[in-house]
Every structure is written in C-alpha cells, then in structure tokens.
C-alpha cells in the first residue's frame, strides 16, 4: 500500500519583525507553550517549522496506526 506524500503542516511567512511560523491548517501564527512563534530569524523559523511539521506527521501516523 502506498501512502500519499505528506504536506508540511507548518510553513513560514515574513512578518513585520522577521519570520512567523504559520499553521497551514488554520492559517494562523503557531503558538507553542503559550509563545507566539513570530519575529524569528529565517533560519530559526525554517528549522522550527520543519521540526513542528515532523512532530505533526509522527503524531498523525500514530493515530492512523491506532497507537495514539
């Protein structure tokens, strides 16, 4: 069985003070532990978006496999 390729859940977008991490499901700036993820350097935003997307994929795969 082949699985559909996974799209990134989190992306980055330029903001007034740097870069924000955007939740692609909601279109809103992402928050983690009550911290709004905005005003970041491009490199930090890109790394964080990649990590958050990886975690979201892992969590979804666990739910899909019944291990959630």
């Amino acid at each position: 069985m082949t699985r559909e390729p996974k799209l990134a859940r989190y992306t980055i977008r330029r903001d007034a003070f740097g870069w924000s991490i955007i939740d692609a499901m909601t279109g809103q700036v992402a928050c983690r532990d009550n911290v709004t993820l905005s005003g970041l350097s491009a490199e930090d935003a890109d790394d964080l978006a990649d990590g958050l997307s990886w975690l979201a994929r892992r969590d979804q795969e666990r739910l899909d496999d019944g291990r959630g």
Side-chain angles (χ1 to χ4, degrees):
M1 173 173 129
T2 47
R3 291 185 180 205
E4 293 285 322
K6 304 289 184 191
L7 298 176
R9 162 94 186 253
Y10 296 91
T11 61
I12 63 172
R13 180 172 59 208
R14 191 91 161 110
D15 64 33
F17 303 103
W19 293 84
S20 293
I21 298 175
I22 306 300
D23 183 334
M25 290 182 69
T26 66
Q28 301 296 312
V29 176
C31 291
R32 190 76 170 176
D33 297 327
N34 294 322
V35 175
T36 302
L37 301 176
S38 62
L40 304 167
S41 71
E43 183 177 357
D44 286 346
D46 193 47
D47 289 345
L48 280 168
D50 287 346
L52 290 171
S53 290
W54 182 87
L55 287 171
R57 279 192 303 274
R58 183 200 62 186
D59 292 348
Q60 187 60 53
E61 287 171 359
R62 285 182 176 175
L63 288 173
D64 291 347
D65 293 341
R67 296 180 283 154

